Amino acid sequence: MSDHPTRLERDLLGEKAVPADAYYGVQTARGLDNFHISGVELQLYPDFIKALAMVKMAAARANHECGQFSADIIKGIEGACRELIDGKLHDQFRLDVFQGGAGTSTNMNANEVIANRALELMGHRKGEYKHCDPHDHVNASQSTNDAYPTALHVGMALGNVRMVAEINQLIGSFKAKALEFDKILKMGRTQLQDAVPMTLGQEFRAFGETLAGEVRALDAVQRVLCEVNMGATAIGTGLNAPVGYGPKCTAHLATITGMPVYLADDLIEATQDTQSYVLYSSCMKSLAIKLSKVCNDLRLLSSGPRCGLREINLPPKQPGSSIMPGKVNPVIPEVVNMVCFRVIGSDQTVTMAAEAGQLQLNVFEPVMAACIFEAQTMFINAARTLQVHCIDGITANPEVCRHYVEYSIGTVTALNPVIGYDRSTELAAEAQKTGRGILEIIRERKILTEQQIAEVLDPMAMTGQGRPA
């Protein structure tokens, strides 16, 4: 038997003791008893908790305008919501992110915490719900089926802003390295075979641009997240919501969030639809694919240090082996690869959960939310880690890069317009067979003059830098 003081609260299933100092109430307490699944608690995703508070604040303002409750109640609710938005009381959101009930436990967690904090701000004690009730006031004109997905949309949009900012910082680091390595000549490779010359700067510029393309997609899908179904209540018919409440609530939410939040055209369709999660998760999967490919390349380019490509050096972060002295592994790209694998797998979960919706509601929104908020959190951390602990500290080995160019037969490609493909192929075959350089054979056979060699086979000219667009 617990020695901690409790208070009794009642719901449909009867009375239940709740810790006296807890801001959550009886329905949250039941969720805490029922859902011991992942060990990941709602409080780990602050954007979502802030979004819940923003939705409840917008709803309170709309309800007050519609004459649903007094100025005293809205003042208390707004004060409690403001504290949650400012990062306070997040420790009261201890529910597992995996939960049945289509998010009802999470919605009630927010309702109860806001109601009990509002009661304190109004001069009352926790649990004195006749003055401010979790259902009748904080949840007025709402259902879990509109408040919860709206909070998910807003929370994901808030997280997307933070994630994009971190990815942009990473892109900036790639661009800085592109400038630093702009004059370092190296061989490009296709299918892991020698291709034609390029610069290391071009390679790093491409790394940045491939991620920039994903940022543009994430910015575009932000609008999809800004569509909400407030006023839909249970299934989209607006039962129990006063006339004009939905548009008023949506307008207040846009003001509170500072984002272009807008009301869906068809609330019945919007209440059952989860395609926004699918689209957003798909964009994150695409980012994961691109970022993982970049990390693969970084590991390959830095392989060695004596028996690999070793065109670049990753900053050494920790000893790489418990048995092999002197070994240092590319641990930062490796961990980012793992994040990407996880995000790609989570996208499949989102896809299956979205497909499993039935009739007027998809009950699997909590697992979609868990996947997406986890992915955002990992991407934010991974992008910062990759930038600070890897990209910013990369150095080049120019002499190694040039060595590969000088001994590669890839430069023979530039001879195609001059001596033709067949003759160029003969030169390449001879160089490959004898181990001699292309230039050596050309000079020996007097195929080109020195001036022609300088003009046609200048590796830096082959990179295309300075060529008119």
Side-chain angles (χ1 to χ4, degrees):
M1 190 168 180
S2 175
D3 294 330
H4 297 293
T6 60
R7 65 177 188 269
L8 280 179
E9 293 196 12
R10 175 179 291 275
D11 64 5
L12 173 68
L13 301 184
E15 289 188 336
K16 183 172 178 61
V18 177
D21 60 350
Y23 284 92
Y24 61 79
V26 58
Q27 291 202 42
T28 304
R30 294 199 190 281
L32 289 171
D33 287 345
N34 292 333
F35 305 124
H36 296 277
I37 307 298
S38 69
V40 178
E41 299 180 355
L42 292 175
Q43 64 177 314
L44 293 179
Y45 302 124
D47 288 327
F48 182 38
I49 297 174
K50 292 176 182 179
L52 283 165
M54 290 174 176
V55 170
K56 297 300 177 180
M57 181 185 287
R61 289 179 179 177
N63 276 309
H64 179 60
E65 289 178 6
C66 292
Q68 297 296 97
F69 46 66
S70 68
D72 189 39
I73 290 175
I74 187 177
K75 184 178 179 181
I77 291 176
E78 282 193 327
C81 289
R82 178 55 58 193
E83 290 187 3
L84 288 174
I85 294 169
D86 290 341
K88 299 177 182 177
L89 301 179
H90 286 204
D91 62 337
Q92 298 298 303
F93 290 80
R94 294 172 35 224
L95 287 170
D96 198 295
V97 293
F98 280 66
Q99 53 186 255
T104 297
S105 293
T106 295
N107 185 41
M108 287 308 303
N109 195 166
N111 291 334
E112 291 171 346
V113 170
I114 291 168
N116 279 307
R117 181 55 185 145
L119 285 169
E120 290 183 335
L121 295 173
M122 295 164 66
H124 305 291
R125 291 180 298 177
K126 297 183 186 73
E128 293 184 338
Y129 294 137
K130 64 181 180 180
H131 302 291
C132 183
D133 186 81
H135 290 96
D136 295 337
H137 299 119
V138 183
N139 200 62
S141 309
Q142 301 158 65
S143 162
T144 293
N145 302 345
D146 60 358
Y148 179 74
T150 295
L152 290 181
H153 282 214
V154 171
M156 290 171 191
L158 293 173
N160 188 57
V161 171
R162 293 198 301 122
M163 186 178 76
V164 164
E166 290 294 343
I167 299 296
N168 278 330
Q169 289 288 326
L170 177 60
I171 292 169
S173 288
F174 277 118
K175 289 181 177 179
K177 286 297 171 183
L179 290 174
E180 181 183 339
F181 300 152
D182 205 37
K183 301 302 180 184
I184 298 177
L185 193 66
K186 62 159 287 176
M187 282 302 295
R189 298 176 179 87
T190 58
Q191 295 165 273
L192 296 181
Q193 307 299 305
D194 300 353
V196 296
M198 65 186 301
T199 69
L200 191 60
Q202 287 174 316
E203 193 160 35
F204 271 74
R205 190 169 295 109
F207 290 155
E209 184 52 41
T210 197
L211 298 180
E214 300 308 304
V215 166
R216 289 190 288 272
L218 289 165
D219 285 338
V221 82
Q222 180 92 345
R223 174 169 170 75
V224 177
L225 295 176
C226 288
E227 181 183 271
V228 301
N229 68 329
M230 290 304 290
T233 66
I235 64 169
T237 60
L239 180 67
N240 292 350
V243 174
Y245 161 82
K248 290 179 187 292
C249 182
T250 303
H252 283 301
L253 189 57
T255 299
I256 293 166
T257 62
M259 294 186 293
V261 177
Y262 63 97
L263 193 62
D265 292 332
D266 187 324
L267 295 184
I268 291 179
E269 187 279 333
T271 302
Q272 63 191 261
D273 182 59
T274 55
Q275 198 67 6
S276 56
Y277 309 125
V278 174
L279 290 171
Y280 185 67
S281 178
S282 178
C283 282
M284 287 202 292
K285 179 183 74 172
S286 183
L287 171 62
I289 292 168
K290 292 285 191 73
L291 186 57
S292 191
K293 187 270 182 190
V294 169
C295 288
N296 293 342
D297 287 355
L298 293 174
R299 292 188 292 115
L300 191 58
L301 292 171
S302 64
S303 59
R306 299 293 177 87
C307 301
L309 294 184
R310 69 184 187 102
E311 292 184 349
I312 63 173
N313 309 299
L314 306 185
K317 304 310 295 185
Q318 58 192 62
S321 174
S322 61
I323 187 173
M324 293 173 281
K327 192 169 188 288
V328 178
N329 294 330
V331 294
I332 302 302
E334 286 173 353
V335 76
V336 176
N337 276 128
M338 287 186 250
V339 166
C340 295
F341 303 157
R342 175 75 174 204
V343 173
I344 292 168
S346 291
D347 178 69
Q348 180 66 15
T349 299
V350 172
T351 300
M352 294 177 67
E355 184 277 333
Q358 295 173 311
L359 303 177
Q360 278 68 60
L361 184 67
N362 188 314
V363 302
F364 301 115
E365 284 183 312
V367 72
M368 291 186 260
C371 288
I372 290 172
F373 285 127
E374 179 193 63
Q376 286 182 329
T377 301
M378 290 194 298
F379 267 147
I380 288 169
N381 295 333
R384 187 181 305 125
T385 298
L386 185 61
Q387 179 206 347
V388 173
H389 294 289
C390 184
I391 308 305
D392 288 346
I394 288 176
T395 58
N397 295 319
E399 68 289 345
V400 174
C401 294
R402 179 165 285 277
H403 169 79
Y404 290 142
V405 173
E406 292 174 350
Y407 282 86
S408 171
I409 62 172
T411 54
V412 77
T413 304
L415 293 174
N416 285 350
V418 181
I419 65 174
Y421 182 86
D422 289 342
R423 198 170 179 196
S424 298
T425 301
E426 291 175 7
L427 286 174
E430 182 175 347
Q432 185 78 358
K433 182 177 180 179
T434 63
R436 300 166 70 194
I438 292 292
L439 282 176
E440 182 183 352
I441 298 172
I442 288 173
R443 286 190 173 106
E444 180 184 280
R445 295 189 180 185
K446 296 182 170 43
I447 295 172
L448 298 177
T449 66
E450 288 300 323
Q451 182 177 347
Q452 287 176 313
I453 289 173
E455 292 172 354
V456 178
L457 291 179
D458 176 17
M460 189 58 78
M462 292 185 208
T463 67
Q465 297 198 139
R467 183 182 300 157

